[in-house]
Amino acid sequence: MKRREFLQRTAVLATAASGLGAAPLTGFAQGATPDVIRVGHLVGICMSPLFYADAAGYFRDEKLNVELKFMPNPGDALTALTSGAMNIVHIPFTNMVVAANNGAPVKIIAGSGAGGLFVVAQGASGIKNIEDLKRAKGKGLKLGSMRVNTFELTLYRTLQNAGLSYSDFNMVWFNDVLSMAAAFEAKAIDVVTHVEPFSTHMVDKQGGVAIGSNLDVWGKSGPDCVTNTRADFIEKYPDATKRYLKALLRADREIKANPTKAVDILDKGKYYRVNRETLTAALPRQMPQVDLTQGAERGMEIAIQDMVALGYLKKMPDGVSDFRILREALKA
């Protein structure tokens, strides 16, 4: 998808959604709970707090009826959120920032996973590190990524830090993570930015070489996917939102305390499209990060500055993050 096409699409979505409950709703009790909370998600390891909470029954413990729905790409999830088809989505923070900048009444309310984004080169390409990538400048190397996704922003900052740019390579843009993984497996691209558990599969099973990551460019707390909802959902269901985040935080703690048990639960639930061996290797490389109040915003700021440089934004949108309920859930 071309950059202009993405920006036009996002602007249309934001315009359509701008009148749907942007102002706080009134007349609802603090304890009001929706009959169903519909949650859209992708398939990266950064979804592990969501999947674990679902499999372990933590949402039920909070008296919530949560239904999960797989979305093939962040754009579809964003469309579903702004239209009201989904109440909450777990997608990259970059997509949410662009939508908020264009007027969509959406909020980042918590994190999901940190790290886990890797720049991976084909083993046969001879690219073993960033210096090799620099030497391949102008030689027709094909680099694959996804527009506006944290995938692109990881790649862009990796290239910039090495004194490289998109024009030094043949860029191939994808619309979903599965087609990008398939292209790497088919050796149709030489270097790709991808997320766990796919990046581990590329390295351990397909001979790929990891040459960079989002933690390298955004710091140790660099987030990937985050938890998002609409402003009107928060205002209508503040208590249910808090209980939803409590379930995620509980899952976050349990995964970190016992990764082996977490693999058992996540593998049994078949949330990921990889085998147990790959899941075991991938989980520690992208640990949960539901709490975004401990410095994670700095990594987001680096990416957002790059989004301005790329023309996706004119400036950081005001009020895109709302951690009021997250802070309350952390106290509970």
Side-chain angles (χ1 to χ4, degrees):
M1 180 181 292
K2 295 181 180 179
R3 186 182 309 167
R4 183 185 299 274
E5 292 173 349
F6 176 88
L7 294 174
Q8 289 174 339
R9 178 184 178 188
T10 305
V12 169
L13 290 175
T15 299
S18 60
L20 297 177
L25 297 179
T26 59
F28 291 89
Q30 289 291 303
T33 302
D35 293 335
V36 179
I37 298 179
R38 298 181 298 277
V39 179
H41 65 85
L42 307 178
V43 290
I45 293 292
C46 57
M47 304 289 122
S48 63
L50 170 64
F51 294 160
Y52 192 101
D54 178 63
Y58 293 169
F59 294 125
R60 292 193 301 274
D61 291 347
E62 295 293 339
K63 304 300 187 290
L64 299 174
N65 180 13
V66 174
E67 290 185 355
L68 274 57
K69 181 174 177 57
F70 167 66
M71 300 287 181
N73 61 63
D76 288 345
L78 182 57
T79 301
L81 179 64
T82 55
S83 70
M86 291 290 124
N87 305 120
I88 294 173
V89 296
H90 290 238
I91 63 174
F93 68 87
T94 48
N95 300 82
M96 297 301 299
V97 169
V98 171
N101 184 70
N102 287 331
V106 293
K107 298 290 184 181
I108 298 172
I109 59 172
S112 194
L117 287 161
F118 291 88
V119 182
V120 183
Q122 295 280 3
S125 70
I127 306 297
K128 304 297 182 184
N129 50 48
I130 295 298
E131 290 303 312
D132 289 338
L133 187 66
K134 291 168 69 173
R135 285 189 284 270
K137 172 182 175 179
K139 296 183 179 180
L141 211 67
K142 291 182 180 179
L143 272 60
S145 196
M146 293 175 64
R147 286 287 191 194
V148 187
N149 196 296
T150 44
F151 292 25
E152 178 186 7
L153 274 299
T154 296
L155 176 63
Y156 178 80
R157 180 44 40 197
T158 298
L159 295 178
Q160 289 288 298
N161 287 352
L164 298 168
S165 68
Y166 290 163
S167 62
D168 296 325
F169 306 96
N170 290 337
M171 297 302 302
V172 183
W173 299 105
F174 293 85
N175 290 325
D176 69 87
V177 295
L178 299 180
S179 64
M180 190 158 56
F184 186 86
E185 183 175 11
K187 303 190 184 308
I189 48 178
D190 302 298
V191 178
V192 69
T193 44
H194 224 301
V195 70
E196 295 292 2
F198 301 99
S199 48
T200 283
H201 185 74
M202 290 172 178
V203 172
D204 292 352
K205 302 299 182 181
Q206 298 173 357
V209 179
I211 62 173
S213 77
N214 63 322
L215 295 183
D216 294 335
V217 297
W218 297 338
K220 65 179 183 179
S221 297
D224 177 18
C225 288
V226 292
T227 306
N228 318 274
T229 189
R230 292 170 52 89
D232 58 352
F233 188 84
I234 298 173
E235 298 301 330
K236 186 175 181 179
Y237 301 116
D239 184 62
T241 304
K242 177 181 175 180
R243 285 182 278 137
Y244 182 86
L245 295 185
K246 283 177 60 181
L248 293 184
L249 288 165
R250 182 181 176 188
D252 183 313
R253 293 191 298 269
E254 290 298 320
I255 293 169
K256 291 172 180 174
N258 196 335
T260 301
K261 178 183 176 182
V263 169
D264 289 339
I265 289 175
L266 294 170
D267 183 58
K268 184 177 180 180
K270 303 303 177 185
Y271 294 99
Y272 299 107
R273 305 183 183 192
V274 295
N275 60 28
R276 181 185 175 85
E277 180 184 3
T278 297
L279 181 58
T280 300
L283 186 62
R285 297 171 181 169
Q286 190 173 36
M287 295 303 286
Q289 184 177 259
V290 177
D291 181 6
L292 291 182
T293 68
Q294 302 299 315
E297 286 186 289
R298 176 53 189 157
M300 295 169 65
E301 288 170 1
I302 295 171
I304 290 167
Q305 289 168 2
D306 285 339
M307 293 170 75
V308 173
L310 285 164
Y312 294 130
L313 304 171
K314 290 185 178 180
K315 66 179 183 66
M316 171 67 178
D318 296 327
V320 63
S321 298
D322 185 346
F323 297 152
R324 292 174 300 165
I325 295 180
L326 173 60
R327 291 188 176 94
E328 289 299 314
L330 285 164
K331 296 176 184 176

